[in-house]
Amino acid sequence: MRIVKNGDVHVSAPIGMPKAEVDKFIEENREWITQARQKTYERQKRRAEFFNQLPLRTQAQADESLKRLKVLIEPMVERHSQEMGVKPFLVWYKPMISRWGVCDVKSKTICFSAYLLLLPEWCVEHVVVHELCHLLEPSHNAHFYALMDQYYPRWREARKVTREIYETEEEE
């Protein structure tokens, strides 16, 4: 049994299990369901409050954020690209809330979330290095993490701080 982001309860049961047994299981765990739904609601509320700190409702707000992002991220991309011997074909930005960055290895393009503006600069740098490492290693495997250790040794601490800032259990 699990609670999904919108608060719905999903129950998995073996094929052929009588519905009455499933219903009994749900009823026996009613208190857990209530508590888990409350935690999910609170986590989603904190996330919304975090992301709402960056106003992007008007074109002027979006333009201002884009300008700030470029000033913040482009020097990091340039510096780390040279150090790592990689060069993205294109770097662009959009207001993603599910990811801080995305690297398309085939086209060598990297997209960064506008919401990086809400993080400390050293945490943003972790995301920049993370996405650039994907140009060297597409997967999150041992080689990838060795590259992260080499090019941004504080990445584990940055990831931990980033997760604590917006309080979620997933995403990177």
Side-chain angles (χ1 to χ4, degrees):
M1 183 164 38
R2 64 200 170 283
I3 309 298
V4 295
K5 288 182 181 181
N6 71 358
D8 286 352
V9 178
H10 288 196
V11 179
S12 301
I15 293 174
M17 178 174 272
K19 184 178 182 319
E21 279 189 55
V22 174
D23 290 342
K24 180 181 175 215
F25 175 78
I26 292 168
E27 195 52 46
E28 288 171 351
N29 290 282
R30 180 80 49 203
E31 187 175 326
W32 178 88
I33 292 169
T34 301
Q35 291 171 354
R37 288 178 111 177
Q38 185 61 35
K39 285 180 185 175
T40 299
Y41 168 77
E42 289 167 4
R43 184 175 9 325
Q44 292 302 99
K45 183 179 171 195
R46 283 191 300 271
R47 283 178 51 91
E49 289 169 356
F50 172 80
F51 289 111
N52 286 338
Q53 293 176 79
L54 182 66
L56 295 172
R57 294 183 242 338
T58 68
Q59 189 60 51
Q61 290 170 334
D63 291 345
E64 176 62 26
S65 292
L66 177 61
K67 189 181 342 176
R68 289 175 48 213
L69 275 166
K70 287 181 174 186
V71 167
L72 175 65
I73 292 176
E74 287 180 1
M76 291 180 189
V77 169
E78 185 64 32
R79 184 174 70 253
H80 289 289
S81 290
Q82 288 177 2
E83 178 187 359
M84 298 167 72
V86 296
K87 179 100 172 115
F89 176 73
L90 175 69
V91 174
W92 57 293
Y93 311 90
K94 73 180 194 179
M96 300 181 290
I97 61 170
S98 61
R99 297 177 181 215
W100 297 114
V102 179
C103 179
D104 182 329
V105 177
K106 288 183 181 176
S107 65
K108 295 190 178 202
T109 61
I110 299 175
C111 180
F112 291 106
S113 172
Y115 296 103
L116 285 169
L117 291 171
L118 299 173
L119 299 179
E121 191 171 319
W122 69 283
C123 292
V124 173
E125 191 167 6
H126 151 254
V127 175
V128 169
V129 173
H130 182 106
E131 299 310 328
L132 289 172
C133 278
H134 280 305
L135 296 176
L136 297 169
E137 175 52 60
S139 302
H140 289 124
N141 58 22
H143 180 239
F144 175 86
Y145 291 113
L147 291 168
M148 287 298 296
D149 287 336
Q150 178 181 349
Y151 294 115
Y152 202 73
R154 294 180 69 192
W155 72 268
R156 286 179 184 83
E157 181 186 359
R159 183 176 65 178
K160 182 176 185 259
V161 168
T162 299
R163 287 179 174 171
E164 288 170 355
I165 288 171
Y166 76 99
E167 183 46 48
T168 186
E169 76 286 357
E170 71 263 342
E171 287 134 28
E172 184 171 307

